[in-house]
Amino acid sequence: MNMLERYLHTITLIGGRYFIVAGLCFLIFYILLKGVLANKKIQQRFPKTNDYLREIGYSTLTISIFGAVPVIFIYNENVAKYTTLYTDINKYGSIYFWAVFPIMLFMHDTYFYWMHRIMHHKRLFKLFHLVHHQSTNPSPWAAYSFHPLEAIIEAGILVVFLFTLPIHRLHFFIFFMFMILYNVYGHLGWELYPKNFNKTKIGKWINTSTNHNQHHQYFTGNYGLYTLVWDRLFNTIRADYDERFVDATTRSK
């Protein structure tokens, strides 16, 4: 395939993941079970149609940007030869292949937390991050709803991986599938973890849809992606998080 064909193939893969995962969640929670689950929604109101269209529009633009990164750094042999990309799983073995996933998760979680906090600086917020925060009551479509400048920074984690870890293309396929699943969950609008999960030994360190929904609603605190490790270490979790989690998981009709 030439570069254009590789680019089209890549955005089809990225876009397919986004539209299938976000679309299924939207269909289930916002259409089929909307009436049944309405009272359980973290924020009781629903976004407007224009909100969904805005989120899809910016997400489509983000997908076009995300698709360019592999073309530049993986499919371009003049650049790829300087990366840590490898093609034979047996080169490092199956133990390394699976063991690298938690390392990738920690790296992405760290990258996101600090990048996210920096974008909330008053001199950078409007330029980079305001588009994403137009979704004060996010839907699954908000998962990739970024300003192009933020999309470029978000895509930077792939470049970080390529120049730090021996990494196989399957690592990217599996890891970014997990990423879009958790990203859509974070913007879902409903809490899927059970009651009291936030108080368990493991759950207190895991980011939740409730936690991220608060960030969209109030703009401050709760900066994590997959975990709450950095939020807890730097005391950036909102004081009312536990109360809101209890409300989201115990609210009755």
Side-chain angles (χ1 to χ4, degrees):
M1 290 190 291
N2 59 37
M3 286 300 183
L4 177 59
E5 289 173 330
R6 289 187 182 278
Y7 174 69
L8 293 175
H9 173 77
T10 303
I11 62 173
T12 299
L13 180 63
I14 298 172
R17 286 195 299 243
Y18 165 79
F19 281 103
I20 289 172
V21 176
L24 282 174
C25 288
F26 185 82
L27 176 65
I28 293 169
F29 286 88
Y30 286 76
I31 298 177
L32 298 179
L33 300 180
K34 180 179 179 179
V36 176
L37 298 176
N39 192 62
K40 294 288 187 179
K41 196 170 184 301
I42 297 169
Q43 294 186 48
Q44 291 289 275
R45 63 191 177 89
F46 280 80
K48 297 179 180 179
T49 300
N50 285 343
D51 294 317
Y52 303 139
L53 294 176
R54 184 194 68 253
E55 291 170 349
I56 293 171
Y58 276 110
S59 292
T60 302
L61 183 56
T62 292
I63 290 164
S64 71
I65 293 170
F66 281 2
V69 178
V71 172
I72 296 170
F73 290 94
I74 295 177
Y75 299 124
N76 184 343
E77 294 181 359
N78 293 325
V79 176
K81 64 183 179 182
Y82 295 109
T83 70
T84 54
L85 191 71
Y86 69 99
T87 56
D88 183 3
I89 292 178
N90 293 323
K91 182 176 180 179
Y92 295 98
S94 59
I95 294 178
Y96 171 81
F97 179 84
W98 294 109
V100 81
F101 284 111
I103 298 172
M104 294 173 71
L105 188 145
F106 176 76
M107 290 174 65
H108 193 195
D109 199 54
T110 302
Y111 178 91
F112 181 88
Y113 177 85
W114 291 107
M115 171 268 293
H116 194 184
R117 285 198 67 179
I118 290 169
M119 287 195 298
H120 271 267
H121 190 281
K122 61 183 180 180
R123 293 184 179 179
L124 300 176
F125 182 79
K126 288 184 179 180
L127 181 62
F128 286 88
H129 201 42
L130 178 59
V131 164
H132 191 60
H133 268 284
Q134 286 179 308
S135 299
T136 55
N137 183 20
S139 82
W141 299 118
Y144 281 168
S145 183
F146 306 131
H147 186 281
L149 292 177
E150 179 174 359
I152 292 170
I153 295 173
E154 295 274 358
I157 187 60
L158 187 147
V159 181
V160 171
F161 288 151
L162 281 171
F163 287 92
T164 54
L165 296 170
I167 201 155
H168 193 277
R169 289 183 187 179
L170 274 176
H171 283 130
F172 289 128
F173 180 82
I174 296 171
F175 183 81
F176 287 118
M177 186 65 205
F178 170 77
M179 183 272 288
I180 188 60
L181 285 168
Y182 213 81
N183 200 353
V184 167
Y185 156 70
H187 296 90
L188 182 62
W190 277 267
E191 185 53 68
L192 301 183
Y193 284 118
K195 175 185 175 182
N196 296 326
F197 176 78
N198 60 313
K199 293 293 188 178
T200 64
K201 291 181 179 180
I202 295 176
K204 68 178 294 185
W205 299 102
I206 303 298
N207 197 11
T208 66
S209 190
T210 303
N211 185 281
H212 194 65
N213 191 282
Q214 282 190 295
H215 177 76
H216 274 266
Q217 185 175 6
Y218 301 112
F219 286 43
T220 58
N222 302 3
Y223 298 103
L225 178 59
Y226 306 116
T227 79
L228 301 179
V229 171
W230 295 108
D231 273 313
R232 292 204 181 277
L233 286 176
F234 289 90
N235 197 31
T236 51
I237 291 184
R238 289 184 56 84
D240 57 346
Y241 164 57
D242 287 329
E243 179 184 348
R244 181 63 70 87
F245 188 91
V246 170
D247 179 62
T249 54
T250 62
R251 190 186 304 137
S252 60
K253 292 185 179 180

